[in-house]
Amino acid sequence: MTPLPDFLLEPVVRAALTEDLSPMGDVTTRAVVPADKTCVARLNAREEGVVSGMQVAALAFRLVDAGLSVQIHCADGHACSKGQALMTITGSAASILMGERVALNFAGRMTGIASLTAAFVAQTQGTQTRITCTRKTTPGLRVVEKLAVTHGGGHNHRFGLSDAILIKDNHIAAAGGIQAVLEAAKAARSHMMRVELEVDTLDQLEEALAVGGADVILLDNMDSPTLRQAVALAAGRVVLEASGNMRLDRIAEVAATGVDYISSGALTHSARTFDLGLDF
């Protein structure tokens, strides 16, 4: 996978470094570590998983000190084993210590997301169903959390409110019904803008198909038998996304219904931080 340009990630990393080092830098390191001390540090995995955040961690170290030499041994999107060295950082000990926590925070968070996503994706084996994330991300960290989902083999849903027209139940209630919102969306959309409609029942799905105008229909909180009926009813006319209560232990069953996508907020809001360590 081609990495994102560093300049797109730099504002997020710079903000984290500023949070950690302001206003007076690393007073502990400045007090006890000689300025001319150099060392080699290794970023090690302490469990098995799918790696993410190496590009971001490397960027954190380089922003602290452009003179640091950073070598990535396990690229983002690749599996790692317990005890494996993922990265080596060589240079000023003080600089490495200043960047350590921010680098570990990003890499641990992102590898946790990638590893959980990979577990979800594994449950779809043998089907055409894809796993996608949602907008339930940590404020300010959406770009790196959604990037981690792709490293785990998942796909990204919209990045924000301006990417696509996604009509949810409150939009329907406020606008006066499914026909009203779909007709309004058709009138407002550009030729590049897709429309997705959330439905809770098969009756709503039937109405949406009859009115037309939706490219994607989100099937919200439906059980598996109902999802199978929805797939049969749609008969390939629209893309179907299943969402709501999508736990890891349910993914294989949902994928078997034939839906095109399964979206889960858990990928980003409930992923466990991966156990990493930086050792001199």
Short mmCIF file of all heavy atoms in Angstrom, two decimals, residues 171-234:
data_model
loop_
_atom_site.label_atom_id
_atom_site.label_comp_id
_atom_site.label_asym_id
_atom_site.label_seq_id
_atom_site.Cartn_x
_atom_site.Cartn_y
_atom_site.Cartn_z
N HIS A 171 -32.85 12.76 9.75
CA HIS A 171 -33.07 13.54 8.53
C HIS A 171 -34.46 13.24 7.95
O HIS A 171 -35.18 14.14 7.52
CB HIS A 171 -32.01 13.21 7.47
CG HIS A 171 -30.63 13.58 7.84
ND1 HIS A 171 -29.68 12.66 8.17
CD2 HIS A 171 -30.01 14.79 7.95
CE1 HIS A 171 -28.53 13.27 8.45
NE2 HIS A 171 -28.71 14.57 8.32
N ILE A 172 -34.80 11.96 7.95
CA ILE A 172 -36.11 11.55 7.41
C ILE A 172 -37.23 12.17 8.22
O ILE A 172 -38.21 12.71 7.66
CB ILE A 172 -36.23 10.01 7.40
CG1 ILE A 172 -35.21 9.41 6.43
CG2 ILE A 172 -37.65 9.58 7.02
CD1 ILE A 172 -35.08 7.90 6.52
N ALA A 173 -37.09 12.14 9.54
CA ALA A 173 -38.12 12.71 10.41
C ALA A 173 -38.24 14.22 10.20
O ALA A 173 -39.34 14.77 10.16
CB ALA A 173 -37.80 12.40 11.87
N ALA A 174 -37.10 14.88 10.06
CA ALA A 174 -37.12 16.34 9.92
C ALA A 174 -37.63 16.78 8.55
O ALA A 174 -38.24 17.85 8.42
CB ALA A 174 -35.72 16.90 10.15
N ALA A 175 -37.38 15.96 7.53
CA ALA A 175 -37.73 16.37 6.16
C ALA A 175 -39.10 15.91 5.71
O ALA A 175 -39.60 16.35 4.68
CB ALA A 175 -36.68 15.85 5.19
N GLY A 176 -39.72 14.97 6.46
CA GLY A 176 -41.08 14.59 6.12
C GLY A 176 -41.25 13.25 5.44
O GLY A 176 -42.26 13.01 4.78
N GLY A 177 -40.24 12.37 5.54
CA GLY A 177 -40.42 11.03 4.99
C GLY A 177 -39.39 10.65 3.95
O GLY A 177 -38.61 11.49 3.47
N ILE A 178 -39.39 9.38 3.59
CA ILE A 178 -38.39 8.85 2.67
C ILE A 178 -38.51 9.45 1.28
O ILE A 178 -37.51 9.84 0.66
CB ILE A 178 -38.50 7.31 2.62
CG1 ILE A 178 -37.93 6.71 3.91
CG2 ILE A 178 -37.77 6.75 1.39
CD1 ILE A 178 -38.07 5.21 4.03
N GLN A 179 -39.72 9.55 0.76
CA GLN A 179 -39.86 10.13 -0.57
C GLN A 179 -39.37 11.56 -0.61
O GLN A 179 -38.66 11.96 -1.54
CB GLN A 179 -41.32 10.07 -1.02
CG GLN A 179 -41.53 10.64 -2.43
CD GLN A 179 -42.92 10.37 -2.98
OE1 GLN A 179 -43.66 9.55 -2.44
NE2 GLN A 179 -43.26 11.05 -4.06
N ALA A 180 -39.69 12.33 0.43
CA ALA A 180 -39.28 13.74 0.47
C ALA A 180 -37.76 13.88 0.51
O ALA A 180 -37.18 14.71 -0.23
CB ALA A 180 -39.89 14.43 1.69
N VAL A 181 -37.08 13.08 1.33
CA VAL A 181 -35.63 13.24 1.44
C VAL A 181 -34.93 12.76 0.17
O VAL A 181 -33.94 13.37 -0.26
CB VAL A 181 -35.04 12.52 2.67
CG1 VAL A 181 -35.52 13.18 3.96
CG2 VAL A 181 -35.34 11.03 2.68
N LEU A 182 -35.41 11.68 -0.43
CA LEU A 182 -34.77 11.19 -1.64
C LEU A 182 -34.96 12.14 -2.81
O LEU A 182 -34.03 12.37 -3.60
CB LEU A 182 -35.28 9.80 -1.99
CG LEU A 182 -34.76 8.66 -1.11
CD1 LEU A 182 -35.42 7.34 -1.50
CD2 LEU A 182 -33.24 8.54 -1.20
N GLU A 183 -36.13 12.71 -2.93
CA GLU A 183 -36.36 13.67 -4.02
C GLU A 183 -35.51 14.92 -3.81
O GLU A 183 -34.94 15.47 -4.77
CB GLU A 183 -37.84 14.02 -4.10
CG GLU A 183 -38.69 12.86 -4.65
CD GLU A 183 -40.17 13.18 -4.71
OE1 GLU A 183 -40.57 14.23 -4.17
OE2 GLU A 183 -40.92 12.38 -5.30
N ALA A 184 -35.39 15.37 -2.56
CA ALA A 184 -34.55 16.53 -2.28
C ALA A 184 -33.08 16.23 -2.55
O ALA A 184 -32.34 17.06 -3.10
CB ALA A 184 -34.74 16.97 -0.83
N ALA A 185 -32.64 15.03 -2.18
CA ALA A 185 -31.25 14.66 -2.41
C ALA A 185 -30.94 14.57 -3.89
O ALA A 185 -29.87 15.00 -4.35
CB ALA A 185 -30.96 13.33 -1.73
N LYS A 186 -31.87 14.01 -4.66
CA LYS A 186 -31.67 13.90 -6.11
C LYS A 186 -31.54 15.28 -6.74
O LYS A 186 -30.73 15.48 -7.65
CB LYS A 186 -32.83 13.13 -6.75
CG LYS A 186 -32.75 11.63 -6.54
CD LYS A 186 -33.78 10.88 -7.38
CE LYS A 186 -35.18 11.01 -6.81
NZ LYS A 186 -36.14 10.15 -7.56
N ALA A 187 -32.30 16.24 -6.24
CA ALA A 187 -32.25 17.58 -6.79
C ALA A 187 -30.97 18.31 -6.41
O ALA A 187 -30.47 19.14 -7.18
CB ALA A 187 -33.47 18.38 -6.30
N ALA A 188 -30.44 18.00 -5.23
CA ALA A 188 -29.29 18.75 -4.72
C ALA A 188 -27.94 18.16 -5.10
O ALA A 188 -26.94 18.87 -5.16
CB ALA A 188 -29.38 18.82 -3.19
N ARG A 189 -27.89 16.86 -5.37
CA ARG A 189 -26.61 16.19 -5.57
C ARG A 189 -25.93 16.62 -6.86
O ARG A 189 -26.59 17.00 -7.83
CB ARG A 189 -26.81 14.67 -5.59
CG ARG A 189 -27.55 14.18 -6.82
CD ARG A 189 -27.91 12.72 -6.77
NE ARG A 189 -26.74 11.85 -6.76
CZ ARG A 189 -26.80 10.52 -6.77
NH1 ARG A 189 -27.99 9.91 -6.75
NH2 ARG A 189 -25.72 9.80 -6.79
N SER A 190 -24.61 16.56 -6.86
CA SER A 190 -23.86 16.73 -8.10
C SER A 190 -23.66 15.36 -8.72
O SER A 190 -23.95 14.32 -8.10
CB SER A 190 -22.50 17.38 -7.81
OG SER A 190 -21.63 16.43 -7.22
N HIS A 191 -23.12 15.33 -9.92
CA HIS A 191 -22.92 14.05 -10.60
C HIS A 191 -21.84 13.20 -9.92
O HIS A 191 -21.74 12.00 -10.18
CB HIS A 191 -22.56 14.27 -12.07
CG HIS A 191 -21.21 14.88 -12.28
ND1 HIS A 191 -20.91 16.18 -11.92
CD2 HIS A 191 -20.07 14.37 -12.82
CE1 HIS A 191 -19.66 16.44 -12.22
NE2 HIS A 191 -19.12 15.37 -12.76
N MET A 192 -21.05 13.81 -9.01
CA MET A 192 -19.98 13.10 -8.31
C MET A 192 -20.37 12.67 -6.90
O MET A 192 -19.58 12.01 -6.22
CB MET A 192 -18.72 13.97 -8.24
CG MET A 192 -18.13 14.32 -9.59
SD MET A 192 -17.47 12.87 -10.46
CE MET A 192 -16.01 12.56 -9.49
N MET A 193 -21.56 13.05 -6.46
CA MET A 193 -21.95 12.83 -5.07
C MET A 193 -22.89 11.63 -4.97
O MET A 193 -23.92 11.58 -5.63
CB MET A 193 -22.65 14.08 -4.52
CG MET A 193 -23.05 14.00 -3.06
SD MET A 193 -21.66 14.09 -1.91
CE MET A 193 -21.12 15.79 -2.15
N ARG A 194 -22.52 10.67 -4.11
CA ARG A 194 -23.36 9.50 -3.89
C ARG A 194 -24.34 9.77 -2.75
O ARG A 194 -24.09 10.59 -1.86
CB ARG A 194 -22.51 8.28 -3.59
CG ARG A 194 -21.80 7.74 -4.82
CD ARG A 194 -20.70 6.78 -4.49
NE ARG A 194 -21.17 5.54 -3.90
CZ ARG A 194 -21.56 4.47 -4.61
NH1 ARG A 194 -21.58 4.52 -5.92
NH2 ARG A 194 -21.94 3.36 -4.01
N VAL A 195 -25.46 9.05 -2.80
CA VAL A 195 -26.51 9.19 -1.79
C VAL A 195 -26.69 7.85 -1.08
O VAL A 195 -26.86 6.81 -1.73
CB VAL A 195 -27.84 9.63 -2.42
CG1 VAL A 195 -28.96 9.65 -1.37
CG2 VAL A 195 -27.70 11.01 -3.06
N GLU A 196 -26.67 7.89 0.24
CA GLU A 196 -26.95 6.70 1.05
C GLU A 196 -28.13 7.02 1.96
O GLU A 196 -28.24 8.11 2.52
CB GLU A 196 -25.74 6.31 1.89
CG GLU A 196 -26.00 5.06 2.74
CD GLU A 196 -24.75 4.51 3.41
OE1 GLU A 196 -23.72 5.21 3.43
OE2 GLU A 196 -24.81 3.37 3.94
N LEU A 197 -29.02 6.04 2.10
CA LEU A 197 -30.22 6.20 2.92
C LEU A 197 -30.25 5.12 3.99
O LEU A 197 -30.06 3.93 3.68
CB LEU A 197 -31.48 6.10 2.05
CG LEU A 197 -32.82 6.14 2.79
CD1 LEU A 197 -33.14 7.58 3.22
CD2 LEU A 197 -33.93 5.58 1.93
N GLU A 198 -30.51 5.51 5.21
CA GLU A 198 -30.65 4.55 6.31
C GLU A 198 -32.11 4.11 6.44
O GLU A 198 -33.01 4.95 6.46
CB GLU A 198 -30.18 5.18 7.62
CG GLU A 198 -30.36 4.29 8.84
CD GLU A 198 -30.02 5.02 10.13
OE1 GLU A 198 -28.83 5.08 10.47
OE2 GLU A 198 -30.94 5.56 10.78
N VAL A 199 -32.33 2.79 6.54
CA VAL A 199 -33.68 2.28 6.78
C VAL A 199 -33.62 1.29 7.94
O VAL A 199 -32.60 0.64 8.18
CB VAL A 199 -34.27 1.59 5.53
CG1 VAL A 199 -34.34 2.56 4.36
CG2 VAL A 199 -33.48 0.34 5.14
N ASP A 200 -34.74 1.18 8.63
CA ASP A 200 -34.84 0.29 9.79
C ASP A 200 -35.71 -0.93 9.52
O ASP A 200 -35.66 -1.90 10.29
CB ASP A 200 -35.44 1.05 10.99
CG ASP A 200 -34.64 2.27 11.36
OD1 ASP A 200 -33.40 2.17 11.41
OD2 ASP A 200 -35.24 3.34 11.60
N THR A 201 -36.53 -0.87 8.45
CA THR A 201 -37.48 -1.96 8.19
C THR A 201 -37.48 -2.31 6.71
O THR A 201 -37.03 -1.52 5.85
CB THR A 201 -38.91 -1.54 8.59
OG1 THR A 201 -39.35 -0.49 7.70
CG2 THR A 201 -38.97 -1.06 10.04
N LEU A 202 -38.04 -3.47 6.40
CA LEU A 202 -38.17 -3.87 5.00
C LEU A 202 -39.18 -3.00 4.26
O LEU A 202 -39.02 -2.76 3.05
CB LEU A 202 -38.58 -5.34 4.92
CG LEU A 202 -37.54 -6.35 5.43
CD1 LEU A 202 -38.10 -7.77 5.36
CD2 LEU A 202 -36.24 -6.26 4.63
N ASP A 203 -40.19 -2.52 4.96
CA ASP A 203 -41.16 -1.61 4.33
C ASP A 203 -40.46 -0.33 3.86
O ASP A 203 -40.74 0.17 2.76
CB ASP A 203 -42.28 -1.27 5.30
CG ASP A 203 -43.26 -2.42 5.51
OD1 ASP A 203 -43.25 -3.36 4.69
OD2 ASP A 203 -44.01 -2.38 6.50
N GLN A 204 -39.56 0.21 4.70
CA GLN A 204 -38.82 1.40 4.30
C GLN A 204 -37.91 1.10 3.12
O GLN A 204 -37.75 1.92 2.21
CB GLN A 204 -37.99 1.92 5.47
CG GLN A 204 -38.79 2.56 6.58
CD GLN A 204 -37.89 3.06 7.71
OE1 GLN A 204 -36.94 2.39 8.11
NE2 GLN A 204 -38.19 4.25 8.21
N LEU A 205 -37.30 -0.08 3.11
CA LEU A 205 -36.45 -0.47 1.99
C LEU A 205 -37.27 -0.53 0.70
O LEU A 205 -36.83 -0.03 -0.35
CB LEU A 205 -35.80 -1.83 2.27
CG LEU A 205 -35.01 -2.46 1.12
CD1 LEU A 205 -33.87 -1.55 0.68
CD2 LEU A 205 -34.48 -3.83 1.52
N GLU A 206 -38.45 -1.13 0.75
CA GLU A 206 -39.32 -1.21 -0.43
C GLU A 206 -39.67 0.18 -0.95
O GLU A 206 -39.66 0.43 -2.16
CB GLU A 206 -40.59 -1.99 -0.10
CG GLU A 206 -40.39 -3.49 0.00
CD GLU A 206 -41.71 -4.24 0.11
OE1 GLU A 206 -42.38 -4.10 1.16
OE2 GLU A 206 -42.07 -4.95 -0.85
N GLU A 207 -40.00 1.08 -0.03
CA GLU A 207 -40.34 2.45 -0.44
C GLU A 207 -39.14 3.13 -1.09
O GLU A 207 -39.28 3.80 -2.11
CB GLU A 207 -40.83 3.26 0.76
CG GLU A 207 -41.24 4.67 0.39
CD GLU A 207 -41.72 5.50 1.56
OE1 GLU A 207 -41.77 4.97 2.70
OE2 GLU A 207 -42.05 6.69 1.35
N ALA A 208 -37.96 2.96 -0.49
CA ALA A 208 -36.76 3.59 -1.03
C ALA A 208 -36.46 3.07 -2.43
O ALA A 208 -36.08 3.83 -3.33
CB ALA A 208 -35.58 3.32 -0.10
N LEU A 209 -36.62 1.77 -2.65
CA LEU A 209 -36.37 1.20 -3.96
C LEU A 209 -37.38 1.71 -4.98
O LEU A 209 -37.04 1.94 -6.15
CB LEU A 209 -36.42 -0.32 -3.88
CG LEU A 209 -35.29 -0.99 -3.08
CD1 LEU A 209 -35.59 -2.47 -2.87
CD2 LEU A 209 -33.94 -0.81 -3.78
N ALA A 210 -38.61 1.90 -4.53
CA ALA A 210 -39.65 2.39 -5.44
C ALA A 210 -39.41 3.84 -5.84
O ALA A 210 -39.60 4.22 -7.00
CB ALA A 210 -41.01 2.23 -4.78
N VAL A 211 -38.99 4.66 -4.88
CA VAL A 211 -38.75 6.08 -5.16
C VAL A 211 -37.49 6.26 -5.99
O VAL A 211 -37.44 7.07 -6.92
CB VAL A 211 -38.65 6.87 -3.83
CG1 VAL A 211 -38.24 8.32 -4.10
CG2 VAL A 211 -39.97 6.82 -3.06
N GLY A 212 -36.44 5.49 -5.67
CA GLY A 212 -35.18 5.61 -6.37
C GLY A 212 -34.36 6.80 -5.88
O GLY A 212 -34.82 7.63 -5.11
N GLY A 213 -33.14 6.85 -6.36
CA GLY A 213 -32.27 7.98 -6.01
C GLY A 213 -31.18 7.65 -5.01
O GLY A 213 -30.25 8.44 -4.83
N ALA A 214 -31.29 6.50 -4.34
CA ALA A 214 -30.25 6.09 -3.39
C ALA A 214 -29.26 5.15 -4.08
O ALA A 214 -29.66 4.19 -4.73
CB ALA A 214 -30.86 5.42 -2.18
N ASP A 215 -27.98 5.44 -3.92
CA ASP A 215 -26.94 4.55 -4.45
C ASP A 215 -26.64 3.43 -3.47
O ASP A 215 -26.27 2.32 -3.86
CB ASP A 215 -25.65 5.33 -4.70
CG ASP A 215 -25.86 6.50 -5.64
OD1 ASP A 215 -26.15 6.26 -6.82
OD2 ASP A 215 -25.74 7.66 -5.18
N VAL A 216 -26.76 3.75 -2.19
CA VAL A 216 -26.45 2.82 -1.10
C VAL A 216 -27.60 2.87 -0.10
O VAL A 216 -28.12 3.95 0.19
CB VAL A 216 -25.13 3.18 -0.40
CG1 VAL A 216 -24.77 2.14 0.65
CG2 VAL A 216 -24.01 3.37 -1.39
N ILE A 217 -27.98 1.72 0.43
CA ILE A 217 -28.96 1.70 1.52
C ILE A 217 -28.33 1.04 2.72
O ILE A 217 -27.78 -0.06 2.64
CB ILE A 217 -30.25 0.99 1.10
CG1 ILE A 217 -30.96 1.81 0.01
CG2 ILE A 217 -31.17 0.77 2.30
CD1 ILE A 217 -32.29 1.27 -0.44
N LEU A 218 -28.39 1.75 3.84
CA LEU A 218 -27.85 1.28 5.10
C LEU A 218 -28.96 0.55 5.86
O LEU A 218 -30.00 1.14 6.17
CB LEU A 218 -27.32 2.46 5.91
CG LEU A 218 -26.53 2.17 7.19
CD1 LEU A 218 -25.63 3.36 7.53
CD2 LEU A 218 -27.46 1.90 8.37
N LEU A 219 -28.75 -0.70 6.12
CA LEU A 219 -29.73 -1.53 6.83
C LEU A 219 -29.36 -1.51 8.31
O LEU A 219 -28.39 -2.14 8.74
CB LEU A 219 -29.69 -2.95 6.28
CG LEU A 219 -29.86 -3.06 4.75
CD1 LEU A 219 -29.53 -4.47 4.28
CD2 LEU A 219 -31.26 -2.64 4.33
N ASP A 220 -30.12 -0.76 9.09
CA ASP A 220 -29.72 -0.46 10.46
C ASP A 220 -30.34 -1.41 11.46
O ASP A 220 -31.57 -1.56 11.53
CB ASP A 220 -30.10 0.99 10.80
CG ASP A 220 -29.53 1.44 12.14
OD1 ASP A 220 -28.36 1.15 12.41
OD2 ASP A 220 -30.27 2.08 12.90
N ASN A 221 -29.49 -2.05 12.26
CA ASN A 221 -29.93 -2.89 13.38
C ASN A 221 -30.93 -3.96 12.97
O ASN A 221 -31.92 -4.20 13.68
CB ASN A 221 -30.50 -2.02 14.50
CG ASN A 221 -29.41 -1.38 15.33
OD1 ASN A 221 -28.59 -2.06 15.96
ND2 ASN A 221 -29.37 -0.05 15.33
N MET A 222 -30.68 -4.61 11.86
CA MET A 222 -31.53 -5.72 11.42
C MET A 222 -30.89 -7.05 11.82
O MET A 222 -29.67 -7.18 11.78
CB MET A 222 -31.73 -5.68 9.90
CG MET A 222 -32.53 -4.51 9.40
SD MET A 222 -32.80 -4.61 7.61
CE MET A 222 -33.77 -3.12 7.34
N ASP A 223 -31.74 -8.02 12.17
CA ASP A 223 -31.19 -9.34 12.47
C ASP A 223 -30.85 -10.04 11.15
O ASP A 223 -31.21 -9.59 10.06
CB ASP A 223 -32.14 -10.16 13.32
CG ASP A 223 -33.51 -10.38 12.69
OD1 ASP A 223 -33.62 -10.34 11.44
OD2 ASP A 223 -34.49 -10.61 13.43
N SER A 224 -30.16 -11.16 11.24
CA SER A 224 -29.66 -11.82 10.03
C SER A 224 -30.77 -12.31 9.10
O SER A 224 -30.65 -12.15 7.87
CB SER A 224 -28.72 -12.96 10.42
OG SER A 224 -27.59 -12.44 11.09
N PRO A 225 -31.86 -12.91 9.60
CA PRO A 225 -32.93 -13.30 8.67
C PRO A 225 -33.50 -12.11 7.90
O PRO A 225 -33.79 -12.21 6.70
CB PRO A 225 -33.98 -13.93 9.60
CG PRO A 225 -33.19 -14.45 10.76
CD PRO A 225 -32.12 -13.43 10.97
N THR A 226 -33.64 -10.96 8.58
CA THR A 226 -34.16 -9.76 7.91
C THR A 226 -33.16 -9.24 6.89
O THR A 226 -33.54 -8.80 5.80
CB THR A 226 -34.49 -8.67 8.94
OG1 THR A 226 -35.37 -9.19 9.93
CG2 THR A 226 -35.16 -7.47 8.27
N LEU A 227 -31.87 -9.31 7.21
CA LEU A 227 -30.85 -8.91 6.24
C LEU A 227 -30.91 -9.76 4.98
O LEU A 227 -30.78 -9.25 3.87
CB LEU A 227 -29.47 -8.99 6.87
CG LEU A 227 -29.12 -7.93 7.93
CD1 LEU A 227 -27.80 -8.26 8.60
CD2 LEU A 227 -29.07 -6.53 7.31
N ARG A 228 -31.13 -11.07 5.14
CA ARG A 228 -31.25 -11.94 3.97
C ARG A 228 -32.45 -11.55 3.11
O ARG A 228 -32.37 -11.55 1.87
CB ARG A 228 -31.35 -13.40 4.41
CG ARG A 228 -30.01 -14.02 4.81
CD ARG A 228 -30.11 -15.52 4.94
NE ARG A 228 -30.91 -15.90 6.11
CZ ARG A 228 -30.40 -16.06 7.32
NH1 ARG A 228 -29.12 -15.86 7.55
NH2 ARG A 228 -31.18 -16.42 8.34
N GLN A 229 -33.55 -11.21 3.76
CA GLN A 229 -34.72 -10.76 3.01
C GLN A 229 -34.43 -9.45 2.28
O GLN A 229 -34.88 -9.25 1.14
CB GLN A 229 -35.90 -10.57 3.96
CG GLN A 229 -36.43 -11.86 4.57
CD GLN A 229 -37.60 -11.59 5.51
OE1 GLN A 229 -38.66 -11.12 5.08
NE2 GLN A 229 -37.41 -11.86 6.79
N ALA A 230 -33.68 -8.56 2.93
CA ALA A 230 -33.34 -7.28 2.31
C ALA A 230 -32.48 -7.49 1.07
O ALA A 230 -32.68 -6.84 0.04
CB ALA A 230 -32.62 -6.39 3.32
N VAL A 231 -31.52 -8.41 1.14
CA VAL A 231 -30.67 -8.70 -0.01
C VAL A 231 -31.51 -9.24 -1.16
O VAL A 231 -31.32 -8.84 -2.33
CB VAL A 231 -29.57 -9.71 0.40
CG1 VAL A 231 -28.82 -10.21 -0.84
CG2 VAL A 231 -28.60 -9.07 1.38
N ALA A 232 -32.45 -10.12 -0.87
CA ALA A 232 -33.32 -10.67 -1.91
C ALA A 232 -34.21 -9.58 -2.50
O ALA A 232 -34.42 -9.54 -3.73
CB ALA A 232 -34.16 -11.80 -1.33
N LEU A 233 -34.71 -8.71 -1.65
CA LEU A 233 -35.60 -7.65 -2.11
C LEU A 233 -34.86 -6.66 -3.01
O LEU A 233 -35.39 -6.21 -4.04
CB LEU A 233 -36.19 -6.93 -0.89
CG LEU A 233 -37.27 -5.89 -1.12
CD1 LEU A 233 -38.50 -6.52 -1.77
CD2 LEU A 233 -37.66 -5.23 0.20
N ALA A 234 -33.65 -6.29 -2.63
CA ALA A 234 -32.89 -5.32 -3.41
C ALA A 234 -32.42 -5.91 -4.73
O ALA A 234 -32.32 -5.20 -5.73
CB ALA A 234 -31.69 -4.83 -2.61
#
